[in-house]
Amino acid sequence: RGALARSGAAAAPALLRRSGCAGSIMAGVNASGPGSAAVAGPVQQGLKEALIETLTAILSPVQDVRAAAEEQVKVLEVTEEFGVHLAELTVDPRGALAIRQLASVILKQYVETHWCSQSEKFRPPETTDRAKAAIRDLLPAGLRESISKVRSSVAYAVSAIAHWDWPEAWPQLFTLLMDMLVSGDVSAVHGAMRVLTEFTREVTDTQMPLVAPVILPEMYKIFTMAEVYSIRTRSRAVEIFTTCANLICTIEEIEKGAAKALIFPVVQQFTEAFVQALQMPDGHSSDSGLKMEVLKAVTALVKNFPKHMVSSMQQILPIVWNTLTESAAFYVRTEVNYTEEVDDPVDSDGEVLGFENLVFSIFEFVHTLLENSKFKSTVKKALPELIYYIILYMQITEDQIKVWTANPQQFVEDEDDDTFSYSVRISAQDLLLAVATEFQNESAVALAAAATRHLQEAEQAKNSSNQHWWKVHEACMLALGSVKSIITENVKSGRVQFDMHGFLTNVILSDLNLSATSPFLLGRALWAASRFTAAMSPELIQQFLQATVSGLHDSQPPSVRISAVRAIWGYCDQLKMSESTQVLQPFLPSVLDGLVQLAAQFSSEVLTLVMETLCIVCTVDPAFTTSVENKICPLTIAIFLKYSNDPVVASLAQDIFKELAQIEACQGPMQMRLIPTLVSIMQAPPDKIPSGLCATAIDILTTVVRHSKPPMSELLMCQAFPVVAQCTLHTDDNATMQNGGECLRAYVSVALEQVGQWRDEQGHSGLWYVMQVVNQLLDPRTSEFTAAFVGRLVSTLIARAGTQLGDNLDQILRAILSKMQQAETLSVMQSLIMVFAHLVHSQLEPLLEFLCSLPGPTGKPALEFVMAEWMSRQHLFYGQYDGKVSTVALCKLLQHGLNTNDKRLQDIMVKGEEIFNPDEGIRTRSKSAKNPERWTNIPLLVKIFKLIINELSSVVEANATRVNAADWSQDSGDMWEEEEEEDEEEDEGLAGQLLSDLIASNKYDEDYYEDDEEEDPDALKDPIYQIDLQAYLTDFLRQFAQQPCYSMFSGHLNEAERRVLQSIGI
């Protein structure tokens, strides 16, 4: 009631007049006065009727009525009884179904937003204790509801409440659920299982010790009582077990002993039941959906508790293997070739559980074996058979043929290497790549044998006129082509007996010559041939190139033309690597014609594939590319303008312009065509062109500038330069500002003299314009993201034009200091701090003087502010180049501070390490709020020393990873297995951490960045970029350790830092 009054008395009467009881409710409020205990009866009734009316209106087909009702709900939502009324409506068996469903959905949202003020989605007011108790009493009845949608929503709400209220405020909940499970009422069982499924996903680490002992034994009973419980309920029991197992594993990482107490007591009995269940034939007590859940559970146990599972493996492996092989035959009959009809099981929410889900979980199990040193060898032993079956699963299904024939775009998307689609075919390829990476030589042998066997079987099928024989050919070509490097290397070295020439001529070439066959086989054959140019004679390459060019022809089906485009890309790529592109030259004119035709006929996925290929074709023969620049350039400009709002097409257009810009003979004609187009985009009023187009045009201009040899053309200097400067100064779009800054940096970097000499009509020089843009990017009023690259622009400016800047330099540095005070994002802070790091290299003394002459935000010298910000972020910087520049700058600062006994640096104190209270245990959110972080305070130079050690350990780790990765690709893991047995204990630390995760966190690792970060031409020209950081830091630290003052530093080191120094002999 108080809430009603708060929500504005004006809103209430309007709402209640509609429900015909305005008088009574206002009378009730006034009469009872603010202090009374209960809202008068009519008020209650009025609110509930108002709610029913509002819900009815939300279901109205009329947009305005709906919108008004949705606003109305927001008014009612803050009343105390809102949740109670929703719960009453939801569980009222006499109510209208639509209203009950809607009430249950809104109730679910209400619990998320109002139940507990600690929830991330919380909005006031918090539900009162009285209302909570009423809702908790009402809801469990809804779990017995016969209508499954209502039941599911109720279950969701109950589980959301339990997340906050169990066990303290709702101790009887579990007894209620357990009673439902044994009640024999189908709906009640399903309702209770739904609650447990949702609830276990969100269980907290404090609840788990109470949950597992109650739930897991019950789930075991349900799962094993096949005659009492339905397949779906038993599947859910297994899913709940898996969820708990995964969570307990996570808890174990923080609290040792959790697994032993909570899950180990039941693992044995569950595993035995799982083994039994996988052997049950499909029927009234088992189906592929149940087996999928069982396999997921077994996989979770093997992944999380490998030691515990070693003894059960003898039982599990043969049975999973059986599932894999039997499923393959069934999958080929029902999915690949449709020779048999089948009904997929449906779960309680009406979701179809396709058979492919079982296949996915089998593959996932094999991946898990591969990831674990204890079980890897079991996969290795089974390779020949495993790969034979993987190829069966890789076949094209009838369904895919239908979809791809009707929709070529989908064909490109599904068959792309980096596709987001998911299918059995794709997951089988993933598994093949995984085993091929893990056991290179053995996989090559196994694949050669499996392919040979499949090809022989396909021959028999073809002779007995089975029309699906070609799918096996297609899958073999796909398999061999996907892992072509291990095949070609092993065939060359003689380790693998495989008749490569026979495969190319008698399988691929002869399939291409068949008169009537599937376009998907023809396309795959064209692609497969392009993968194996290394094994072909020049004559054979010519035959295949001829076939590929014919495949581009527009009389061919789209799937053949698309595959021909992929093949062209492959030939260009392979033949460039082996420096034998002369074979390609005679075919280039017809290739170009084919690509141009396709580009005109298709959009989206097909178009991007054509453009990627066009881009690589441009690089094969500069003389040919120059002769057709008049075709390529106008086409690319037209595509760029037509698809200007598609970022993928825009970046591919940019790649093509970049290739053309690198061929000197193309530069002139290309600029004549392209620059006027870019200038008109940059001059267009923003509301007249698609958003983002201007920023992309500037990006393309940057590419052209970067690849021009100075002096720059009149077009670039007198037309494009002033326009890009003006455009950057007058835009309010962040991307345009950022790209404008990067474009001017290219001008400064490539042709500083011309920029300095150029004048506008008022006599302002090009450099003056660059300064204006720097000031704008650093303007405290603009978004901090405009400054994301400004550091690079300023550093290039200082490096190229140092002396010409004069007082401007001071002005820029002041602007950087004030921007640093408002920036929060790491990348922006890094960009700004890097300007000072560069100055440490080039002008250390003037920099220190300047920073000491200015006050920082707290009134102390700005030097202290800059050092504190830099020191707290150095370890988070990313990018090899910035890593090297900043780390070497730290070494210079430390050296300078000691050599010159510089008080300005020696007197600064900064944050050292965070202090943790040993009694505190796990830091929960509530604990963190009560005890804010505390840090030690240490001298700046000590902090710098610690950071240098940290950088050394990062770069050592990255180099080790790189060396390892290289070793792995040479050997296929044989040497690992013998050693594995002794050091079993040691790999526990990294258990579950994939190599990719370890790599990804390191700035010095090449694989961490997509190529863009390190392609920066200014970085590549800087001698610092060439430094071998590991050697440099090792040398620096060894010399530093010899200095007399070293003992003052070494006392501050922690255990990890000492270990790093010991590793280099200090």
Side-chain angles (χ1 to χ4, degrees):
R1 186 198 52 261
L4 215 165
R6 276 202 304 282
S7 71
L15 130 84
L16 296 158
R17 240 177 291 168
R18 250 174 271 157
S19 61
C21 61
S24 63
I25 178 165
M26 290 328 278
V29 169
N30 297 337
S32 56
S36 72
V39 178
V43 177
Q44 285 258 302
Q45 224 21 58
L47 275 177
K48 189 165 178 181
E49 281 171 21
L51 178 59
I52 295 174
E53 247 184 49
T54 309
L55 294 180
T56 311
I58 287 182
L59 297 167
S60 157
V62 186
Q63 165 74 45
D64 297 350
V65 177
R66 261 204 324 273
E70 280 162 11
E71 287 309 303
Q72 195 62 44
V73 165
K74 291 178 187 162
V75 176
L76 293 171
E77 193 182 333
V78 298
T79 60
E80 180 186 3
E81 299 293 326
F82 180 70
V84 180
H85 292 324
L86 284 173
E88 287 170 353
L89 292 175
T90 300
V91 299
D92 177 6
R94 298 183 310 279
L97 175 60
I99 295 285
R100 296 181 61 194
Q101 280 190 337
L102 182 57
S104 71
V105 171
I106 297 177
L107 175 64
K108 182 172 104 177
Q109 294 164 347
Y110 173 80
V111 171
E112 283 179 347
T113 48
H114 295 288
W115 199 268
C116 177
S117 56
Q118 287 174 306
S119 162
E120 285 176 10
K121 295 182 181 170
F122 179 72
R123 292 200 306 270
E126 183 170 346
T127 315
T128 62
D129 287 346
R130 204 189 60 181
K132 283 182 179 177
I135 294 171
R136 284 194 299 258
D137 285 345
L138 284 162
L139 280 182
L143 295 173
R144 301 174 178 274
E145 172 58 57
S146 58
I147 298 153
S148 75
K149 287 212 163 113
V150 175
R151 198 166 60 224
S152 295
S153 291
V154 172
Y156 194 94
V158 170
S159 103
I161 294 170
H163 181 68
W164 302 110
D165 288 7
W166 185 83
E168 296 85 5
W170 201 359
Q172 68 279 34
L173 171 66
F174 268 71
T175 321
L176 274 172
L177 294 175
M178 292 306 151
D179 291 347
M180 287 186 180
L181 290 179
V182 296
S183 65
D185 169 353
V186 179
S187 302
V189 170
H190 172 250
M193 292 301 277
R194 277 309 293 256
V195 175
L196 292 174
T197 309
E198 291 298 334
F199 177 70
T200 46
R201 286 177 189 160
E202 302 282 323
V203 168
T204 61
D205 50 355
T206 48
Q207 289 171 327
M208 186 54 98
L210 305 168
V211 172
V214 184
I215 290 190
L216 294 179
E218 288 302 323
M219 294 306 106
Y220 176 73
K221 276 189 215 149
I222 290 176
F223 173 56
T224 48
M225 292 167 78
E227 45 305 322
V228 180
Y229 295 102
S230 73
I231 296 182
R232 292 288 70 84
T233 299
R234 291 167 54 231
S235 292
R236 231 174 247 288
V238 180
E239 186 189 345
I240 291 168
F241 169 81
T242 308
T243 308
C244 291
N246 285 327
L247 286 170
I248 290 168
C249 177
T250 313
I251 297 171
E252 172 74 25
E253 286 170 18
I254 311 162
E255 297 182 47
K256 288 282 170 266
K260 191 172 181 186
L262 301 177
I263 196 145
F264 289 175
V266 295
V267 165
Q268 194 52 45
Q269 60 187 99
F270 266 102
T271 306
E272 283 166 14
F274 292 154
V275 168
Q276 291 296 307
L278 285 174
Q279 291 169 289
M280 278 297 286
D282 289 358
H284 70 284
S285 63
S286 179
D287 65 17
S288 63
L290 177 69
K291 288 181 177 148
M292 166 191 81
E293 287 300 345
V294 169
L295 265 170
K296 280 187 184 166
V298 174
T299 305
L301 289 175
V302 171
K303 201 185 207 111
N304 295 329
F305 313 111
K307 279 203 177 124
H308 220 76
M309 295 301 289
V310 172
S311 53
S312 319
M313 272 319 212
Q314 267 78 20
Q315 270 183 300
I316 294 171
L317 285 171
I319 286 160
V320 177
W321 178 253
N322 255 352
T323 315
L324 174 100
T325 54
E326 283 165 18
S327 302
F330 181 75
Y331 175 76
V332 170
R333 291 199 307 275
T334 57
E335 292 288 324
V336 176
N337 298 334
Y338 268 178
T339 47
E340 183 179 308
E341 274 295 309
V342 63
D343 289 329
D344 281 325
V346 176
D347 80 0
S348 49
D349 300 329
E351 292 286 316
V352 175
L353 301 169
F355 182 76
E356 67 275 8
N357 291 306
L358 174 59
V359 180
F360 294 146
S361 34
I362 299 174
F363 289 171
E364 196 44 50
F365 177 78
V366 182
H367 278 291
T368 304
L369 296 178
L370 281 176
E371 282 161 23
N372 190 295
S373 56
K374 295 183 175 57
F375 303 130
K376 237 190 258 186
S377 55
T378 55
V379 181
K380 187 170 156 185
K381 293 191 187 87
L383 275 178
E385 286 291 304
L386 178 63
I387 290 179
Y388 174 82
Y389 283 102
I390 290 178
I391 292 175
L392 282 178
Y393 284 115
M394 276 164 75
Q395 294 176 88
I396 295 183
T397 64
E398 286 297 305
D399 206 31
Q400 284 171 321
I401 294 174
K402 252 203 323 240
V403 173
W404 291 344
T405 307
N407 182 356
Q409 309 287 0
Q410 196 61 46
F411 173 60
V412 176
E413 164 59 28
D414 291 346
E415 293 285 89
D416 187 74
D417 285 345
D418 303 315
T419 182
F420 289 115
S421 314
Y422 205 62
S423 64
V424 170
R425 174 176 169 91
I426 292 167
S427 59
Q429 274 173 269
D430 285 347
L431 184 56
L432 176 66
L433 291 172
V435 294
T437 314
E438 190 61 59
F439 312 111
Q440 300 198 342
N441 304 340
E442 294 81 357
S443 293
V445 175
L447 177 55
T452 308
R453 185 173 146 198
H454 273 301
L455 292 169
Q456 286 162 353
E457 287 168 11
E459 199 52 39
Q460 290 161 0
K462 186 174 163 189
N463 294 337
S464 54
S465 57
N466 169 343
Q467 85 252 39
H468 300 296
W469 68 268
W470 65 269
K471 292 183 181 179
V472 172
H473 270 218
E474 195 275 344
C476 287
M477 292 179 197
L478 175 57
L480 288 159
S482 310
V483 294
K484 69 149 187 10
S485 49
I486 67 165
I487 294 291
T488 43
E489 281 164 24
N490 280 286
V491 169
K492 205 160 64 187
S493 70
R495 269 194 298 261
V496 171
Q497 301 306 308
F498 183 68
D499 176 5
M500 202 69 224
H501 186 264
F503 174 64
L504 291 167
T505 49
N506 307 335
V507 179
I508 301 186
L509 198 54
S510 72
D511 282 355
L512 284 172
N513 289 326
L514 289 171
S515 49
T517 185
S518 163
F520 294 104
L521 176 63
L522 293 177
R524 178 60 62 203
L526 291 175
W527 172 86
S530 75
R531 306 284 290 163
F532 290 107
T533 50
M536 296 182 196
S537 62
E539 299 73 45
L540 194 53
I541 294 185
Q542 270 182 317
Q543 277 180 289
F544 278 122
L545 279 170
Q546 192 58 64
T548 308
V549 169
S550 318
L552 282 174
H553 200 273
D554 74 0
S555 58
Q556 298 284 0
S559 59
V560 174
R561 298 172 72 192
I562 288 164
S563 302
V565 174
R566 287 212 162 105
I568 296 289
W569 193 96
Y571 285 117
C572 295
D573 181 51
Q574 297 288 311
L575 295 168
K576 273 173 69 179
M577 279 199 288
S578 60
E579 295 183 356
S580 36
T581 49
Q582 63 285 356
V583 198
L584 267 172
Q585 281 163 349
F587 297 98
L588 288 174
S590 9
V591 165
L592 183 72
D593 292 343
L595 291 175
V596 170
Q597 240 180 350
L598 272 162
Q601 290 168 350
F602 286 99
S603 63
S604 70
E605 305 288 342
V606 180
L607 180 63
T608 52
L609 180 66
V610 170
M611 290 179 74
E612 280 172 5
T613 307
L614 188 57
C615 188
I616 198 170
V617 169
C618 287
T619 64
V620 173
D621 174 12
F624 169 74
T625 306
T626 307
S627 70
V628 290
E629 179 275 338
N630 58 2
K631 276 188 187 170
I632 296 175
C633 196
L635 172 76
T636 311
I637 293 175
I639 291 174
F640 167 61
L641 293 174
K642 184 173 175 187
Y643 299 100
S644 54
N645 50 2
D646 180 335
V648 180
V649 174
S651 82
L652 289 167
Q654 197 170 342
D655 291 342
I656 294 174
F657 294 134
K658 180 173 163 185
E659 293 306 341
L660 295 176
Q662 288 177 13
I663 300 170
E664 242 170 276
C666 288
Q667 281 178 358
M670 179 184 88
Q671 287 183 19
M672 303 279 277
R673 285 179 228 282
L674 180 59
I675 302 301
T677 306
L678 298 179
V679 165
S680 62
I681 292 174
M682 291 187 285
Q683 286 175 328
D687 52 347
K688 294 280 182 284
I689 55 172
S691 72
L693 183 59
C694 183
T696 312
I698 295 177
D699 220 2
I700 290 173
L701 176 60
T702 308
T703 304
V704 176
V705 171
R706 282 281 180 198
H707 292 287
S708 300
K709 299 240 182 346
M712 274 200 229
S713 64
E714 206 264 346
L715 262 174
L716 283 177
M717 211 48 247
C718 303
Q719 290 185 31
F721 176 79
V723 172
V724 75
Q726 289 291 354
C727 176
T728 309
L729 288 172
H730 295 116
T731 182
D732 49 11
D733 171 57
N734 282 349
T736 305
M737 268 188 233
Q738 277 191 6
N739 292 3
E742 284 292 273
C743 187
L744 294 183
R745 178 164 78 100
Y747 273 101
V748 168
S749 176
V750 174
L752 178 73
E753 287 69 31
Q754 282 174 281
V755 173
Q757 285 156 8
W758 180 85
R759 295 280 183 282
D760 69 3
E761 286 147 19
Q762 286 76 45
H764 292 309
S765 76
L767 265 184
W768 180 86
Y769 274 101
V770 177
M771 289 299 307
Q772 299 303 307
V773 169
V774 168
N775 289 334
Q776 167 156 357
L777 293 175
L778 288 169
D779 184 334
R781 288 165 309 198
T782 57
S783 140
E784 65 170 309
F785 294 107
T786 55
F789 298 115
V790 75
R792 293 178 178 186
L793 172 56
V794 173
S795 299
T796 303
L797 198 55
I798 295 171
R800 299 277 288 119
T803 48
Q804 302 175 35
L805 292 175
D807 293 344
N808 284 329
L809 180 55
D810 285 9
Q811 183 198 333
I812 294 178
L813 295 180
R814 281 167 202 252
I816 286 184
L817 285 169
S818 67
K819 195 74 174 175
M820 275 172 72
Q821 289 173 44
Q822 58 169 139
E824 289 169 3
T825 317
L826 174 67
S827 56
V828 176
M829 269 312 241
Q830 177 174 335
S831 172
L832 299 169
I833 292 169
M834 286 312 297
V835 173
F836 295 111
H838 279 280
L839 285 167
V840 168
H841 289 272
S842 55
Q843 312 183 31
L844 177 56
E845 189 47 51
L847 172 69
L848 293 174
E849 265 173 51
F850 171 75
L851 288 176
C852 286
S853 68
L854 287 181
T858 58
K860 292 181 172 167
L863 178 64
E864 193 158 322
F865 166 68
V866 171
M867 289 301 147
E869 296 297 324
W870 180 357
M871 297 309 129
S872 66
R873 288 182 179 76
Q874 169 71 34
H875 64 292
L876 300 169
F877 284 179
Y878 64 96
Q880 291 209 34
Y881 175 62
D882 280 5
K884 287 180 175 179
V885 171
S886 54
T887 305
V888 175
L890 291 178
C891 295
K892 293 210 147 86
L893 276 173
L894 180 54
Q895 198 66 55
H896 169 85
L898 295 175
N899 290 355
T900 61
N901 212 355
D902 192 322
K903 281 278 171 270
R904 294 169 300 187
L905 293 170
Q906 291 182 350
D907 294 346
I908 296 177
M909 300 293 283
V910 292
K911 274 185 185 177
E913 290 169 21
E914 195 172 349
I915 305 168
F916 293 105
N917 177 351
D919 318 327
E920 190 177 26
I922 302 171
R923 266 186 96 87
T924 56
R925 279 188 214 145
S926 52
K927 282 187 190 165
S928 304
K930 290 185 198 114
N931 318 336
E933 314 177 335
R934 293 175 311 159
W935 293 75
T936 57
N937 246 356
I938 58 174
L940 170 67
L941 294 178
V942 171
K943 178 72 175 182
I944 291 180
F945 175 54
K946 284 162 132 348
L947 286 170
I948 293 171
I949 297 175
N950 179 56
E951 294 293 326
L952 173 66
S953 90
S954 295
V955 71
V956 166
E957 182 189 355
N959 288 342
T961 312
R962 205 168 306 144
V963 170
N964 263 343
D967 284 355
W968 281 12
S969 61
Q970 248 94 73
D971 109 344
S972 63
D974 288 348
M975 51 175 259
W976 284 63
E977 266 157 51
E978 280 63 62
E979 295 168 23
E980 213 104 56
E981 301 314 313
E982 296 94 71
D983 57 28
E984 262 187 51
E985 293 309 310
E986 300 200 348
D987 66 344
E988 294 302 310
L990 298 178
Q993 260 198 326
L994 295 174
L995 184 71
S996 55
D997 302 343
L998 293 173
I999 292 173
S1001 52
N1002 196 319
K1003 67 184 116 183
Y1004 297 113
D1005 205 284
E1006 274 127 10
D1007 302 342
Y1008 183 34
Y1009 302 96
E1010 288 297 322
D1011 312 326
D1012 57 344
E1013 204 270 336
E1014 300 305 356
E1015 272 179 2
D1016 181 36
D1018 293 342
L1020 298 175
K1021 278 188 289 212
D1022 186 337
I1024 296 177
Y1025 185 67
Q1026 305 308 329
I1027 284 180
D1028 171 349
L1029 197 58
Q1030 183 171 342
Y1032 178 91
L1033 294 180
T1034 304
D1035 196 41
F1036 176 85
L1037 289 167
R1038 282 178 182 156
Q1039 288 182 15
F1040 181 65
Q1042 305 299 315
Q1043 300 192 4
C1045 61
Y1046 179 67
S1047 55
M1048 290 158 44
F1049 286 81
S1050 55
H1052 286 276
L1053 296 179
N1054 61 32
E1055 192 45 47
E1057 290 159 347
R1058 288 208 171 87
R1059 277 206 300 273
V1060 175
L1061 290 178
Q1062 278 163 7
S1063 72
I1064 56 166
I1066 298 176

